[in-house]
Amino acid sequence: MGVFEAFRYDGKRVLVVGGATGMGAATAELVQDAGAEVVVMDFAEVTLPGAKAIHVNLADKASIDAAVDECGGPVHALFSCAGVADGTPGIEKINFVGHRHLVNRMLAGGMLSRGSAIGFISSAAGLGWESNLETLKEYLDTADFDAASAWAVEHGFADYFHSKQAVCAYVAREAFPLLKQGIRINAICPGPTDTPLAQANKEMWLGFGADYRGEAGIEASTPLEQAYPLVFLCSDAAVAITGITMITDVGYISSGITSSFPPATDVAGFLLGRLG
């Protein structure tokens, strides 16, 4: 076996939550092409040939429990890709609380063994989580599914922005305790990506950074272009990486921080919580 095999998924069983469309679908297709046995959980219909499809509603604890039981183990890589936009009932459950409950159920059932990895899809909305960490700790400390949902509603965290901050904080905080179990956890923070969810919010989601992309001569990312780094993070090739949210925005935030693209400077400062 060559050393490059660490990038592949031969002999691995992979679960993609939210793998019916968008970046999740691209992730499922990519890991399957890399040799994995693929299970896809989603509320939408799963169409990937050769994948085991399981229906799940991340806003419903019983549905998550039933889906996890149907999946069974082992799972060598878990990709938590499902997400919805503001205005969706139960957004705090679908974008964070439900994913966390699914992870916890799998851990309790011994389905994620030593050497496994977890990968989330976050968002630029979550980048400033450090400046809100004390409040986020209170949210993360609310472990019960229903209690966490209620906490989010009561504290104004039942929206896209705060759900993505919770994902980033969760990934960072769980890195060490999971590593003691031999499990890694990371996330990506995609730039504008041409997905069905983005198309449904086109003016805001795909309009973001359009000036930067225009001057650089590039288009919004494809789902597959975002799946590549996510799949890498859960591969054995990324064994030294855990607890990070990798910014996969083709340099927009970095160009704003350094003012090499001045129009992005204030935006980057706001998203990172570095203004004022």
Side-chain angles (χ1 to χ4, degrees):
M1 183 174 68
V3 293
F4 193 80
E5 295 301 310
F7 289 88
R8 291 190 53 85
Y9 280 74
D10 299 287
K12 293 190 175 185
R13 189 165 182 261
V14 171
L15 171 59
V16 185
V17 181
T21 61
M23 287 178 266
T27 298
E29 183 179 2
L30 184 57
V31 291
Q32 187 182 67
D33 194 55
E37 173 191 345
V38 179
V39 180
V40 176
M41 287 184 189
D42 211 313
F43 191 79
E45 181 183 359
V46 177
T47 59
L48 179 64
K52 177 180 175 63
I54 299 175
H55 180 79
V56 69
N57 179 0
L58 287 171
D60 184 335
K61 181 181 177 182
S63 176
I64 297 169
D65 290 342
V68 170
D69 289 343
E70 184 178 348
C71 175
V75 171
H76 302 101
L78 165 61
F79 294 95
S80 299
C81 301
V84 294
D86 280 321
T88 305
I91 184 173
E92 77 286 352
K93 299 175 184 175
I94 298 167
N95 284 7
F96 173 63
V97 176
H99 283 293
R100 182 180 65 173
H101 180 68
L102 188 146
V103 170
N104 288 340
R105 280 279 276 111
M106 293 181 69
L107 289 170
M111 296 166 62
L112 293 165
S113 57
R114 296 193 69 86
S116 60
I118 302 167
F120 274 82
I121 296 179
S122 186
S123 164
L127 286 176
W129 64 271
E130 297 99 325
S131 63
N132 205 19
L133 182 56
E134 289 309 310
T135 306
L136 285 165
K137 283 181 179 178
E138 185 178 337
Y139 187 13
L140 298 184
D141 286 342
T142 308
D144 178 75
F145 183 92
D146 293 321
S149 174
W151 187 98
V153 172
E154 291 166 6
H155 290 78
F157 272 48
D159 57 22
Y160 186 83
F161 180 85
H162 290 101
S163 68
K164 292 302 184 178
Q165 283 204 343
V167 166
C168 292
Y170 174 75
V171 166
R173 192 166 86 156
E174 292 304 308
F176 180 61
L178 285 175
L179 189 61
K180 290 192 290 184
Q181 301 177 58
I183 301 168
R184 295 183 300 106
I185 183 169
N186 292 293
I188 62 167
C189 174
T193 305
D194 193 0
T195 66
L197 186 60
Q199 286 291 341
N201 304 270
K202 189 171 184 178
E203 184 176 339
M204 179 173 66
W205 288 31
L206 294 180
F208 179 79
D211 53 347
Y212 175 83
R213 297 193 301 278
E215 193 166 325
I218 60 173
E219 301 293 332
S221 294
T222 67
L224 185 59
E225 288 168 345
Q226 294 296 335
Y228 287 136
L230 182 61
V231 169
F232 160 69
L233 286 173
C234 283
S235 75
D236 292 341
V239 67
I241 305 172
T242 194
I244 70 162
T245 300
M246 178 189 289
I247 303 175
T248 54
D249 68 345
V250 293
Y252 180 84
I253 293 295
S254 293
S255 299
I257 293 170
T258 59
S259 296
S260 59
F261 182 70
T265 297
D266 287 345
V267 177
F270 171 76
L271 290 172
L272 293 167
R274 298 178 184 175
L275 291 182

